[in-house]
mmCIF file with all atom_site columns, all heavy atoms in Angstrom:
data_model
loop_
_atom_site.group_PDB
_atom_site.id
_atom_site.type_symbol
_atom_site.label_atom_id
_atom_site.label_alt_id
_atom_site.label_comp_id
_atom_site.label_asym_id
_atom_site.label_entity_id
_atom_site.label_seq_id
_atom_site.pdbx_PDB_ins_code
_atom_site.Cartn_x
_atom_site.Cartn_y
_atom_site.Cartn_z
_atom_site.occupancy
_atom_site.B_iso_or_equiv
_atom_site.pdbx_formal_charge
_atom_site.auth_seq_id
_atom_site.auth_comp_id
_atom_site.auth_asym_id
_atom_site.auth_atom_id
_atom_site.pdbx_PDB_model_num
ATOM 1   N N   . PHE A 1 3   ? 3.692  1.576  -1.034  1.00 0.00 ? 3   PHE A N   1
ATOM 2   C CA  . PHE A 1 3   ? 4.418  1.735  -2.299  1.00 0.00 ? 3   PHE A CA  1
ATOM 3   C C   . PHE A 1 3   ? 3.541  2.394  -3.349  1.00 0.00 ? 3   PHE A C   1
ATOM 4   O O   . PHE A 1 3   ? 4.021  3.142  -4.190  1.00 0.00 ? 3   PHE A O   1
ATOM 5   C CB  . PHE A 1 3   ? 4.951  0.395  -2.793  1.00 0.00 ? 3   PHE A CB  1
ATOM 6   C CG  . PHE A 1 3   ? 6.066  -0.091 -1.918  1.00 0.00 ? 3   PHE A CG  1
ATOM 7   C CD1 . PHE A 1 3   ? 5.996  -1.326 -1.321  1.00 0.00 ? 3   PHE A CD1 1
ATOM 8   C CD2 . PHE A 1 3   ? 7.161  0.716  -1.675  1.00 0.00 ? 3   PHE A CD2 1
ATOM 9   C CE1 . PHE A 1 3   ? 7.025  -1.757 -0.507  1.00 0.00 ? 3   PHE A CE1 1
ATOM 10  C CE2 . PHE A 1 3   ? 8.191  0.294  -0.852  1.00 0.00 ? 3   PHE A CE2 1
ATOM 11  C CZ  . PHE A 1 3   ? 8.120  -0.944 -0.265  1.00 0.00 ? 3   PHE A CZ  1
ATOM 12  N N   . GLN A 1 7   ? 4.605  5.770  -4.963  1.00 0.00 ? 7   GLN A N   1
ATOM 13  C CA  . GLN A 1 7   ? 4.703  5.860  -6.415  1.00 0.00 ? 7   GLN A CA  1
ATOM 14  C C   . GLN A 1 7   ? 3.834  7.005  -6.950  1.00 0.00 ? 7   GLN A C   1
ATOM 15  O O   . GLN A 1 7   ? 4.218  7.698  -7.877  1.00 0.00 ? 7   GLN A O   1
ATOM 16  C CB  . GLN A 1 7   ? 4.307  4.516  -7.055  1.00 0.00 ? 7   GLN A CB  1
ATOM 17  C CG  . GLN A 1 7   ? 4.702  4.393  -8.511  1.00 0.00 ? 7   GLN A CG  1
ATOM 18  C CD  . GLN A 1 7   ? 6.151  4.790  -8.766  1.00 0.00 ? 7   GLN A CD  1
ATOM 19  O OE1 . GLN A 1 7   ? 7.051  4.451  -8.004  1.00 0.00 ? 7   GLN A OE1 1
ATOM 20  N NE2 . GLN A 1 7   ? 6.391  5.544  -9.828  1.00 0.00 ? 7   GLN A NE2 1
ATOM 21  N N   . THR A 1 10  ? 5.744  10.054 -6.340  1.00 0.00 ? 10  THR A N   1
ATOM 22  C CA  . THR A 1 10  ? 6.812  10.175 -7.336  1.00 0.00 ? 10  THR A CA  1
ATOM 23  C C   . THR A 1 10  ? 6.265  10.737 -8.639  1.00 0.00 ? 10  THR A C   1
ATOM 24  O O   . THR A 1 10  ? 6.850  11.640 -9.235  1.00 0.00 ? 10  THR A O   1
ATOM 25  C CB  . THR A 1 10  ? 7.438  8.795  -7.592  1.00 0.00 ? 10  THR A CB  1
ATOM 26  O OG1 . THR A 1 10  ? 8.089  8.386  -6.415  1.00 0.00 ? 10  THR A OG1 1
ATOM 27  C CG2 . THR A 1 10  ? 8.407  8.837  -8.730  1.00 0.00 ? 10  THR A CG2 1
ATOM 28  N N   . LEU A 1 14  ? 7.342  14.158 -10.534 1.00 0.00 ? 14  LEU A N   1
ATOM 29  C CA  . LEU A 1 14  ? 7.706  14.273 -11.951 1.00 0.00 ? 14  LEU A CA  1
ATOM 30  C C   . LEU A 1 14  ? 6.801  15.298 -12.626 1.00 0.00 ? 14  LEU A C   1
ATOM 31  O O   . LEU A 1 14  ? 7.246  16.132 -13.413 1.00 0.00 ? 14  LEU A O   1
ATOM 32  C CB  . LEU A 1 14  ? 7.551  12.923 -12.656 1.00 0.00 ? 14  LEU A CB  1
ATOM 33  C CG  . LEU A 1 14  ? 8.438  11.784 -12.199 1.00 0.00 ? 14  LEU A CG  1
ATOM 34  C CD1 . LEU A 1 14  ? 8.234  10.573 -13.096 1.00 0.00 ? 14  LEU A CD1 1
ATOM 35  C CD2 . LEU A 1 14  ? 9.883  12.203 -12.258 1.00 0.00 ? 14  LEU A CD2 1
ATOM 36  N N   . GLY A 1 115 ? 32.887 24.069 -18.565 1.00 0.00 ? 115 GLY A N   1
ATOM 37  C CA  . GLY A 1 115 ? 32.008 22.980 -18.965 1.00 0.00 ? 115 GLY A CA  1
ATOM 38  C C   . GLY A 1 115 ? 31.745 21.971 -17.862 1.00 0.00 ? 115 GLY A C   1
ATOM 39  O O   . GLY A 1 115 ? 30.973 21.036 -18.050 1.00 0.00 ? 115 GLY A O   1
ATOM 40  N N   . VAL A 1 120 ? 23.887 22.451 -6.940  1.00 0.00 ? 120 VAL A N   1
ATOM 41  C CA  . VAL A 1 120 ? 23.400 23.478 -6.033  1.00 0.00 ? 120 VAL A CA  1
ATOM 42  C C   . VAL A 1 120 ? 22.966 22.774 -4.757  1.00 0.00 ? 120 VAL A C   1
ATOM 43  O O   . VAL A 1 120 ? 22.319 21.725 -4.800  1.00 0.00 ? 120 VAL A O   1
ATOM 44  C CB  . VAL A 1 120 ? 22.217 24.240 -6.665  1.00 0.00 ? 120 VAL A CB  1
ATOM 45  C CG1 . VAL A 1 120 ? 21.578 25.181 -5.659  1.00 0.00 ? 120 VAL A CG1 1
ATOM 46  C CG2 . VAL A 1 120 ? 22.684 25.016 -7.889  1.00 0.00 ? 120 VAL A CG2 1
ATOM 47  N N   . GLN A 1 121 ? 23.367 23.336 -3.634  1.00 0.00 ? 121 GLN A N   1
ATOM 48  C CA  . GLN A 1 121 ? 23.038 22.731 -2.347  1.00 0.00 ? 121 GLN A CA  1
ATOM 49  C C   . GLN A 1 121 ? 21.538 22.840 -2.075  1.00 0.00 ? 121 GLN A C   1
ATOM 50  O O   . GLN A 1 121 ? 20.925 23.857 -2.339  1.00 0.00 ? 121 GLN A O   1
ATOM 51  C CB  . GLN A 1 121 ? 23.826 23.481 -1.265  1.00 0.00 ? 121 GLN A CB  1
ATOM 52  C CG  . GLN A 1 121 ? 24.174 22.645 -0.063  1.00 0.00 ? 121 GLN A CG  1
ATOM 53  C CD  . GLN A 1 121 ? 25.152 21.525 -0.394  1.00 0.00 ? 121 GLN A CD  1
ATOM 54  O OE1 . GLN A 1 121 ? 24.742 20.389 -0.491  1.00 0.00 ? 121 GLN A OE1 1
ATOM 55  N NE2 . GLN A 1 121 ? 26.414 21.852 -0.585  1.00 0.00 ? 121 GLN A NE2 1
ATOM 56  N N   . ARG A 1 141 ? 11.163 17.593 -2.690  1.00 0.00 ? 141 ARG A N   1
ATOM 57  C CA  . ARG A 1 141 ? 10.294 17.318 -3.843  1.00 0.00 ? 141 ARG A CA  1
ATOM 58  C C   . ARG A 1 141 ? 8.872  17.824 -3.593  1.00 0.00 ? 141 ARG A C   1
ATOM 59  O O   . ARG A 1 141 ? 8.208  18.335 -4.494  1.00 0.00 ? 141 ARG A O   1
ATOM 60  C CB  . ARG A 1 141 ? 10.279 15.824 -4.152  1.00 0.00 ? 141 ARG A CB  1
ATOM 61  C CG  . ARG A 1 141 ? 11.537 15.352 -4.900  1.00 0.00 ? 141 ARG A CG  1
ATOM 62  C CD  . ARG A 1 141 ? 11.414 13.892 -5.294  1.00 0.00 ? 141 ARG A CD  1
ATOM 63  N NE  . ARG A 1 141 ? 12.607 13.407 -5.967  1.00 0.00 ? 141 ARG A NE  1
ATOM 64  C CZ  . ARG A 1 141 ? 12.810 13.496 -7.284  1.00 0.00 ? 141 ARG A CZ  1
ATOM 65  N NH1 . ARG A 1 141 ? 11.897 14.040 -8.060  1.00 0.00 ? 141 ARG A NH1 1
ATOM 66  N NH2 . ARG A 1 141 ? 13.921 13.041 -7.814  1.00 0.00 ? 141 ARG A NH2 1
ATOM 67  N N   . PRO A 1 209 ? 18.956 21.497 -7.362  1.00 0.00 ? 209 PRO A N   1
ATOM 68  C CA  . PRO A 1 209 ? 19.501 20.622 -6.310  1.00 0.00 ? 209 PRO A CA  1
ATOM 69  C C   . PRO A 1 209 ? 19.272 19.129 -6.585  1.00 0.00 ? 209 PRO A C   1
ATOM 70  O O   . PRO A 1 209 ? 19.935 18.288 -5.982  1.00 0.00 ? 209 PRO A O   1
ATOM 71  C CB  . PRO A 1 209 ? 18.720 21.030 -5.056  1.00 0.00 ? 209 PRO A CB  1
ATOM 72  C CG  . PRO A 1 209 ? 18.151 22.357 -5.369  1.00 0.00 ? 209 PRO A CG  1
ATOM 73  C CD  . PRO A 1 209 ? 17.891 22.349 -6.829  1.00 0.00 ? 209 PRO A CD  1
ATOM 74  N N   . LEU A 1 210 ? 18.350 18.816 -7.492  1.00 0.00 ? 210 LEU A N   1
ATOM 75  C CA  . LEU A 1 210 ? 18.053 17.397 -7.757  1.00 0.00 ? 210 LEU A CA  1
ATOM 76  C C   . LEU A 1 210 ? 18.830 16.856 -8.948  1.00 0.00 ? 210 LEU A C   1
ATOM 77  O O   . LEU A 1 210 ? 19.027 15.653 -9.079  1.00 0.00 ? 210 LEU A O   1
ATOM 78  C CB  . LEU A 1 210 ? 16.556 17.224 -8.039  1.00 0.00 ? 210 LEU A CB  1
ATOM 79  C CG  . LEU A 1 210 ? 15.608 17.453 -6.870  1.00 0.00 ? 210 LEU A CG  1
ATOM 80  C CD1 . LEU A 1 210 ? 14.170 17.459 -7.346  1.00 0.00 ? 210 LEU A CD1 1
ATOM 81  C CD2 . LEU A 1 210 ? 15.808 16.376 -5.806  1.00 0.00 ? 210 LEU A CD2 1
ATOM 82  N N   . LYS A 1 211 ? 19.217 17.734 -9.856  1.00 0.00 ? 211 LYS A N   1
ATOM 83  C CA  . LYS A 1 211 ? 19.861 17.280 -11.088 1.00 0.00 ? 211 LYS A CA  1
ATOM 84  C C   . LYS A 1 211 ? 21.225 17.930 -11.196 1.00 0.00 ? 211 LYS A C   1
ATOM 85  O O   . LYS A 1 211 ? 21.583 18.757 -10.368 1.00 0.00 ? 211 LYS A O   1
ATOM 86  C CB  . LYS A 1 211 ? 19.000 17.700 -12.286 1.00 0.00 ? 211 LYS A CB  1
ATOM 87  C CG  . LYS A 1 211 ? 17.515 17.482 -12.038 1.00 0.00 ? 211 LYS A CG  1
ATOM 88  C CD  . LYS A 1 211 ? 16.969 16.416 -12.905 1.00 0.00 ? 211 LYS A CD  1
ATOM 89  C CE  . LYS A 1 211 ? 15.579 16.042 -12.462 1.00 0.00 ? 211 LYS A CE  1
ATOM 90  N NZ  . LYS A 1 211 ? 14.731 15.624 -13.525 1.00 0.00 ? 211 LYS A NZ  1
ATOM 91  N N   . GLY A 1 252 ? 6.255  7.842  -14.316 1.00 0.00 ? 252 GLY A N   1
ATOM 92  C CA  . GLY A 1 252 ? 6.640  7.252  -13.033 1.00 0.00 ? 252 GLY A CA  1
ATOM 93  C C   . GLY A 1 252 ? 6.186  5.806  -12.926 1.00 0.00 ? 252 GLY A C   1
ATOM 94  O O   . GLY A 1 252 ? 6.957  4.911  -12.554 1.00 0.00 ? 252 GLY A O   1
ATOM 95  N N   . ALA A 1 255 ? 8.036  3.520  -15.356 1.00 0.00 ? 255 ALA A N   1
ATOM 96  C CA  . ALA A 1 255 ? 9.423  3.322  -14.927 1.00 0.00 ? 255 ALA A CA  1
ATOM 97  C C   . ALA A 1 255 ? 9.477  2.366  -13.740 1.00 0.00 ? 255 ALA A C   1
ATOM 98  O O   . ALA A 1 255 ? 10.405 1.573  -13.608 1.00 0.00 ? 255 ALA A O   1
ATOM 99  C CB  . ALA A 1 255 ? 10.057 4.658  -14.550 1.00 0.00 ? 255 ALA A CB  1
ATOM 100 N N   . SER A 1 258 ? 8.477  -1.231 -15.343 1.00 0.00 ? 258 SER A N   1
ATOM 101 C CA  . SER A 1 258 ? 9.518  -1.793 -16.217 1.00 0.00 ? 258 SER A CA  1
ATOM 102 C C   . SER A 1 258 ? 10.829 -1.094 -15.901 1.00 0.00 ? 258 SER A C   1
ATOM 103 O O   . SER A 1 258 ? 11.437 -1.355 -14.892 1.00 0.00 ? 258 SER A O   1
ATOM 104 C CB  . SER A 1 258 ? 9.114  -1.622 -17.684 1.00 0.00 ? 258 SER A CB  1
ATOM 105 O OG  . SER A 1 258 ? 8.911  -0.259 -17.978 1.00 0.00 ? 258 SER A OG  1
ATOM 106 N N   . THR A 1 261 ? 14.122 3.321  -19.490 1.00 0.00 ? 261 THR A N   1
ATOM 107 C CA  . THR A 1 261 ? 14.311 3.311  -20.936 1.00 0.00 ? 261 THR A CA  1
ATOM 108 C C   . THR A 1 261 ? 12.994 3.007  -21.633 1.00 0.00 ? 261 THR A C   1
ATOM 109 O O   . THR A 1 261 ? 12.578 3.700  -22.568 1.00 0.00 ? 261 THR A O   1
ATOM 110 C CB  . THR A 1 261 ? 15.359 2.244  -21.314 1.00 0.00 ? 261 THR A CB  1
ATOM 111 O OG1 . THR A 1 261 ? 16.515 2.452  -20.524 1.00 0.00 ? 261 THR A OG1 1
ATOM 112 C CG2 . THR A 1 261 ? 15.717 2.330  -22.772 1.00 0.00 ? 261 THR A CG2 1
ATOM 113 N N   . ILE B 2 55  ? 34.586 17.700 -20.518 1.00 0.00 ? 55  ILE B N   1
ATOM 114 C CA  . ILE B 2 55  ? 34.769 17.895 -19.081 1.00 0.00 ? 55  ILE B CA  1
ATOM 115 C C   . ILE B 2 55  ? 35.851 16.964 -18.560 1.00 0.00 ? 55  ILE B C   1
ATOM 116 O O   . ILE B 2 55  ? 36.771 17.374 -17.877 1.00 0.00 ? 55  ILE B O   1
ATOM 117 C CB  . ILE B 2 55  ? 33.449 17.585 -18.342 1.00 0.00 ? 55  ILE B CB  1
ATOM 118 C CG1 . ILE B 2 55  ? 32.341 18.456 -18.901 1.00 0.00 ? 55  ILE B CG1 1
ATOM 119 C CG2 . ILE B 2 55  ? 33.602 17.761 -16.855 1.00 0.00 ? 55  ILE B CG2 1
ATOM 120 C CD1 . ILE B 2 55  ? 30.961 17.894 -18.655 1.00 0.00 ? 55  ILE B CD1 1
ATOM 121 N N   . TYR B 2 209 ? 18.519 -0.662 -16.776 1.00 0.00 ? 209 TYR B N   1
ATOM 122 C CA  . TYR B 2 209 ? 19.315 0.324  -17.504 1.00 0.00 ? 209 TYR B CA  1
ATOM 123 C C   . TYR B 2 209 ? 18.487 1.567  -17.790 1.00 0.00 ? 209 TYR B C   1
ATOM 124 O O   . TYR B 2 209 ? 17.334 1.460  -18.179 1.00 0.00 ? 209 TYR B O   1
ATOM 125 C CB  . TYR B 2 209 ? 19.832 -0.288 -18.812 1.00 0.00 ? 209 TYR B CB  1
ATOM 126 C CG  . TYR B 2 209 ? 20.728 -1.483 -18.561 1.00 0.00 ? 209 TYR B CG  1
ATOM 127 C CD1 . TYR B 2 209 ? 20.219 -2.780 -18.608 1.00 0.00 ? 209 TYR B CD1 1
ATOM 128 C CD2 . TYR B 2 209 ? 22.059 -1.294 -18.215 1.00 0.00 ? 209 TYR B CD2 1
ATOM 129 C CE1 . TYR B 2 209 ? 21.033 -3.875 -18.341 1.00 0.00 ? 209 TYR B CE1 1
ATOM 130 C CE2 . TYR B 2 209 ? 22.876 -2.374 -17.939 1.00 0.00 ? 209 TYR B CE2 1
ATOM 131 C CZ  . TYR B 2 209 ? 22.367 -3.666 -18.008 1.00 0.00 ? 209 TYR B CZ  1
ATOM 132 O OH  . TYR B 2 209 ? 23.168 -4.727 -17.738 1.00 0.00 ? 209 TYR B OH  1
ATOM 133 N N   . HIS B 2 214 ? 20.093 10.350 -18.607 1.00 0.00 ? 214 HIS B N   1
ATOM 134 C CA  . HIS B 2 214 ? 18.867 10.342 -17.803 1.00 0.00 ? 214 HIS B CA  1
ATOM 135 C C   . HIS B 2 214 ? 19.102 11.055 -16.474 1.00 0.00 ? 214 HIS B C   1
ATOM 136 O O   . HIS B 2 214 ? 20.150 10.908 -15.868 1.00 0.00 ? 214 HIS B O   1
ATOM 137 C CB  . HIS B 2 214 ? 18.473 8.889  -17.543 1.00 0.00 ? 214 HIS B CB  1
ATOM 138 C CG  . HIS B 2 214 ? 17.107 8.727  -16.963 1.00 0.00 ? 214 HIS B CG  1
ATOM 139 N ND1 . HIS B 2 214 ? 15.981 9.044  -17.670 1.00 0.00 ? 214 HIS B ND1 1
ATOM 140 C CD2 . HIS B 2 214 ? 16.684 8.295  -15.765 1.00 0.00 ? 214 HIS B CD2 1
ATOM 141 C CE1 . HIS B 2 214 ? 14.927 8.804  -16.916 1.00 0.00 ? 214 HIS B CE1 1
ATOM 142 N NE2 . HIS B 2 214 ? 15.320 8.354  -15.748 1.00 0.00 ? 214 HIS B NE2 1
ATOM 143 N N   . SER B 2 215 ? 18.111 11.834 -16.022 1.00 0.00 ? 215 SER B N   1
ATOM 144 C CA  . SER B 2 215 ? 18.368 12.588 -14.795 1.00 0.00 ? 215 SER B CA  1
ATOM 145 C C   . SER B 2 215 ? 17.221 12.492 -13.791 1.00 0.00 ? 215 SER B C   1
ATOM 146 O O   . SER B 2 215 ? 17.168 13.250 -12.841 1.00 0.00 ? 215 SER B O   1
ATOM 147 C CB  . SER B 2 215 ? 18.653 14.048 -15.129 1.00 0.00 ? 215 SER B CB  1
ATOM 148 O OG  . SER B 2 215 ? 17.490 14.658 -15.609 1.00 0.00 ? 215 SER B OG  1
ATOM 149 N N   . GLU B 2 216 ? 16.282 11.577 -14.003 1.00 0.00 ? 216 GLU B N   1
ATOM 150 C CA  . GLU B 2 216 ? 15.162 11.482 -13.060 1.00 0.00 ? 216 GLU B CA  1
ATOM 151 C C   . GLU B 2 216 ? 15.115 10.068 -12.486 1.00 0.00 ? 216 GLU B C   1
ATOM 152 O O   . GLU B 2 216 ? 14.716 9.125  -13.150 1.00 0.00 ? 216 GLU B O   1
ATOM 153 C CB  . GLU B 2 216 ? 13.853 11.824 -13.785 1.00 0.00 ? 216 GLU B CB  1
ATOM 154 C CG  . GLU B 2 216 ? 12.648 11.844 -12.875 1.00 0.00 ? 216 GLU B CG  1
ATOM 155 C CD  . GLU B 2 216 ? 12.833 12.716 -11.643 1.00 0.00 ? 216 GLU B CD  1
ATOM 156 O OE1 . GLU B 2 216 ? 12.858 13.932 -11.776 1.00 0.00 ? 216 GLU B OE1 1
ATOM 157 O OE2 . GLU B 2 216 ? 12.965 12.159 -10.533 1.00 0.00 ? 216 GLU B OE2 1
ATOM 158 N N   . SER B 2 219 ? 11.643 6.988  -9.622  1.00 0.00 ? 219 SER B N   1
ATOM 159 C CA  . SER B 2 219 ? 11.036 5.651  -9.686  1.00 0.00 ? 219 SER B CA  1
ATOM 160 C C   . SER B 2 219 ? 12.057 4.579  -9.322  1.00 0.00 ? 219 SER B C   1
ATOM 161 O O   . SER B 2 219 ? 11.737 3.605  -8.640  1.00 0.00 ? 219 SER B O   1
ATOM 162 C CB  . SER B 2 219 ? 10.480 5.378  -11.084 1.00 0.00 ? 219 SER B CB  1
ATOM 163 O OG  . SER B 2 219 ? 9.353  6.178  -11.308 1.00 0.00 ? 219 SER B OG  1
ATOM 164 N N   . VAL B 2 220 ? 13.279 4.763  -9.783  1.00 0.00 ? 220 VAL B N   1
ATOM 165 C CA  . VAL B 2 220 ? 14.342 3.825  -9.446  1.00 0.00 ? 220 VAL B CA  1
ATOM 166 C C   . VAL B 2 220 ? 14.541 3.795  -7.929  1.00 0.00 ? 220 VAL B C   1
ATOM 167 O O   . VAL B 2 220 ? 14.669 2.723  -7.318  1.00 0.00 ? 220 VAL B O   1
ATOM 168 C CB  . VAL B 2 220 ? 15.655 4.239  -10.152 1.00 0.00 ? 220 VAL B CB  1
ATOM 169 C CG1 . VAL B 2 220 ? 16.824 3.428  -9.640  1.00 0.00 ? 220 VAL B CG1 1
ATOM 170 C CG2 . VAL B 2 220 ? 15.511 4.088  -11.656 1.00 0.00 ? 220 VAL B CG2 1
ATOM 171 N N   . ASN B 2 222 ? 12.339 4.535  -5.652  1.00 0.00 ? 222 ASN B N   1
ATOM 172 C CA  . ASN B 2 222 ? 11.207 3.807  -5.049  1.00 0.00 ? 222 ASN B CA  1
ATOM 173 C C   . ASN B 2 222 ? 11.449 2.302  -5.075  1.00 0.00 ? 222 ASN B C   1
ATOM 174 O O   . ASN B 2 222 ? 11.096 1.580  -4.147  1.00 0.00 ? 222 ASN B O   1
ATOM 175 C CB  . ASN B 2 222 ? 9.914  4.111  -5.801  1.00 0.00 ? 222 ASN B CB  1
ATOM 176 C CG  . ASN B 2 222 ? 9.284  5.391  -5.311  1.00 0.00 ? 222 ASN B CG  1
ATOM 177 O OD1 . ASN B 2 222 ? 9.616  5.875  -4.233  1.00 0.00 ? 222 ASN B OD1 1
ATOM 178 N ND2 . ASN B 2 222 ? 8.395  5.948  -6.104  1.00 0.00 ? 222 ASN B ND2 1
ATOM 179 N N   . LYS B 2 223 ? 12.041 1.846  -6.169  1.00 0.00 ? 223 LYS B N   1
ATOM 180 C CA  . LYS B 2 223 ? 12.327 0.403  -6.261  1.00 0.00 ? 223 LYS B CA  1
ATOM 181 C C   . LYS B 2 223 ? 13.400 -0.002 -5.267  1.00 0.00 ? 223 LYS B C   1
ATOM 182 O O   . LYS B 2 223 ? 13.323 -1.070 -4.671  1.00 0.00 ? 223 LYS B O   1
ATOM 183 C CB  . LYS B 2 223 ? 12.719 0.031  -7.689  1.00 0.00 ? 223 LYS B CB  1
ATOM 184 C CG  . LYS B 2 223 ? 11.517 -0.073 -8.615  1.00 0.00 ? 223 LYS B CG  1
ATOM 185 C CD  . LYS B 2 223 ? 11.898 -0.594 -9.976  1.00 0.00 ? 223 LYS B CD  1
ATOM 186 C CE  . LYS B 2 223 ? 11.845 0.508  -10.993 1.00 0.00 ? 223 LYS B CE  1
ATOM 187 N NZ  . LYS B 2 223 ? 12.124 0.063  -12.359 1.00 0.00 ? 223 LYS B NZ  1
ATOM 188 N N   . SER B 2 226 ? 11.522 -0.428 -2.089  1.00 0.00 ? 226 SER B N   1
ATOM 189 C CA  . SER B 2 226 ? 10.656 -1.606 -1.940  1.00 0.00 ? 226 SER B CA  1
ATOM 190 C C   . SER B 2 226 ? 11.452 -2.903 -1.986  1.00 0.00 ? 226 SER B C   1
ATOM 191 O O   . SER B 2 226 ? 11.112 -3.867 -1.314  1.00 0.00 ? 226 SER B O   1
ATOM 192 C CB  . SER B 2 226 ? 9.555  -1.594 -3.001  1.00 0.00 ? 226 SER B CB  1
ATOM 193 O OG  . SER B 2 226 ? 10.123 -1.623 -4.278  1.00 0.00 ? 226 SER B OG  1
ATOM 194 N N   . ASP B 2 239 ? 26.457 12.731 -16.471 1.00 0.00 ? 239 ASP B N   1
ATOM 195 C CA  . ASP B 2 239 ? 25.714 13.580 -15.539 1.00 0.00 ? 239 ASP B CA  1
ATOM 196 C C   . ASP B 2 239 ? 24.629 12.799 -14.800 1.00 0.00 ? 239 ASP B C   1
ATOM 197 O O   . ASP B 2 239 ? 24.125 13.246 -13.779 1.00 0.00 ? 239 ASP B O   1
ATOM 198 C CB  . ASP B 2 239 ? 25.147 14.827 -16.218 1.00 0.00 ? 239 ASP B CB  1
ATOM 199 C CG  . ASP B 2 239 ? 24.524 14.533 -17.556 1.00 0.00 ? 239 ASP B CG  1
ATOM 200 O OD1 . ASP B 2 239 ? 24.577 13.354 -17.961 1.00 0.00 ? 239 ASP B OD1 1
ATOM 201 O OD2 . ASP B 2 239 ? 23.991 15.453 -18.180 1.00 0.00 ? 239 ASP B OD2 1
ATOM 202 N N   . ARG B 2 246 ? 22.490 12.617 -5.962  1.00 0.00 ? 246 ARG B N   1
ATOM 203 C CA  . ARG B 2 246 ? 21.816 13.712 -5.261  1.00 0.00 ? 246 ARG B CA  1
ATOM 204 C C   . ARG B 2 246 ? 20.386 13.321 -4.898  1.00 0.00 ? 246 ARG B C   1
ATOM 205 O O   . ARG B 2 246 ? 19.891 13.667 -3.835  1.00 0.00 ? 246 ARG B O   1
ATOM 206 C CB  . ARG B 2 246 ? 21.846 14.990 -6.108  1.00 0.00 ? 246 ARG B CB  1
ATOM 207 C CG  . ARG B 2 246 ? 23.250 15.563 -6.255  1.00 0.00 ? 246 ARG B CG  1
ATOM 208 C CD  . ARG B 2 246 ? 23.262 17.021 -6.673  1.00 0.00 ? 246 ARG B CD  1
ATOM 209 N NE  . ARG B 2 246 ? 22.708 17.889 -5.659  1.00 0.00 ? 246 ARG B NE  1
ATOM 210 C CZ  . ARG B 2 246 ? 23.367 18.310 -4.581  1.00 0.00 ? 246 ARG B CZ  1
ATOM 211 N NH1 . ARG B 2 246 ? 24.608 17.960 -4.389  1.00 0.00 ? 246 ARG B NH1 1
ATOM 212 N NH2 . ARG B 2 246 ? 22.781 19.089 -3.699  1.00 0.00 ? 246 ARG B NH2 1
ATOM 213 N N   . GLN B 2 247 ? 19.719 12.575 -5.792  1.00 0.00 ? 247 GLN B N   1
ATOM 214 C CA  . GLN B 2 247 ? 18.341 12.189 -5.499  1.00 0.00 ? 247 GLN B CA  1
ATOM 215 C C   . GLN B 2 247 ? 18.288 11.071 -4.453  1.00 0.00 ? 247 GLN B C   1
ATOM 216 O O   . GLN B 2 247 ? 17.372 11.014 -3.643  1.00 0.00 ? 247 GLN B O   1
ATOM 217 C CB  . GLN B 2 247 ? 17.623 11.793 -6.791  1.00 0.00 ? 247 GLN B CB  1
ATOM 218 C CG  . GLN B 2 247 ? 17.377 13.011 -7.665  1.00 0.00 ? 247 GLN B CG  1
ATOM 219 C CD  . GLN B 2 247 ? 16.915 12.685 -9.063  1.00 0.00 ? 247 GLN B CD  1
ATOM 220 O OE1 . GLN B 2 247 ? 16.290 11.659 -9.301  1.00 0.00 ? 247 GLN B OE1 1
ATOM 221 N NE2 . GLN B 2 247 ? 17.225 13.550 -10.008 1.00 0.00 ? 247 GLN B NE2 1
ATOM 222 N N   . GLY B 2 274 ? 29.202 17.084 -5.362  1.00 0.00 ? 274 GLY B N   1
ATOM 223 C CA  . GLY B 2 274 ? 29.336 17.539 -3.982  1.00 0.00 ? 274 GLY B CA  1
ATOM 224 C C   . GLY B 2 274 ? 29.638 16.368 -3.073  1.00 0.00 ? 274 GLY B C   1
ATOM 225 O O   . GLY B 2 274 ? 29.004 15.318 -3.174  1.00 0.00 ? 274 GLY B O   1
ATOM 226 N N   . ASP B 2 276 ? 28.941 15.806 -0.045  1.00 0.00 ? 276 ASP B N   1
ATOM 227 C CA  . ASP B 2 276 ? 27.857 15.347 0.833   1.00 0.00 ? 276 ASP B CA  1
ATOM 228 C C   . ASP B 2 276 ? 27.001 14.278 0.163   1.00 0.00 ? 276 ASP B C   1
ATOM 229 O O   . ASP B 2 276 ? 26.533 13.351 0.814   1.00 0.00 ? 276 ASP B O   1
ATOM 230 C CB  . ASP B 2 276 ? 26.998 16.536 1.268   1.00 0.00 ? 276 ASP B CB  1
ATOM 231 C CG  . ASP B 2 276 ? 26.357 17.233 0.085   1.00 0.00 ? 276 ASP B CG  1
ATOM 232 O OD1 . ASP B 2 276 ? 26.997 17.270 -0.985  1.00 0.00 ? 276 ASP B OD1 1
ATOM 233 O OD2 . ASP B 2 276 ? 25.222 17.725 0.220   1.00 0.00 ? 276 ASP B OD2 1
#
Side-chain angles (χ1 to χ4, degrees):
Chain A
F3 290 124
Q7 194 49 42
T10 294
L14 296 185
V120 172
Q121 209 66 256
R141 282 185 182 272
L210 292 171
K211 318 248 169 148
S258 58
T261 308
Chain B
I55 303 158
Y209 299 96
H214 191 66
S215 68
E216 184 52 71
S219 290
V220 170
N222 276 343
K223 282 187 253 184
S226 60
D239 44 358
R246 292 199 66 80
Q247 290 169 28
D276 61 326

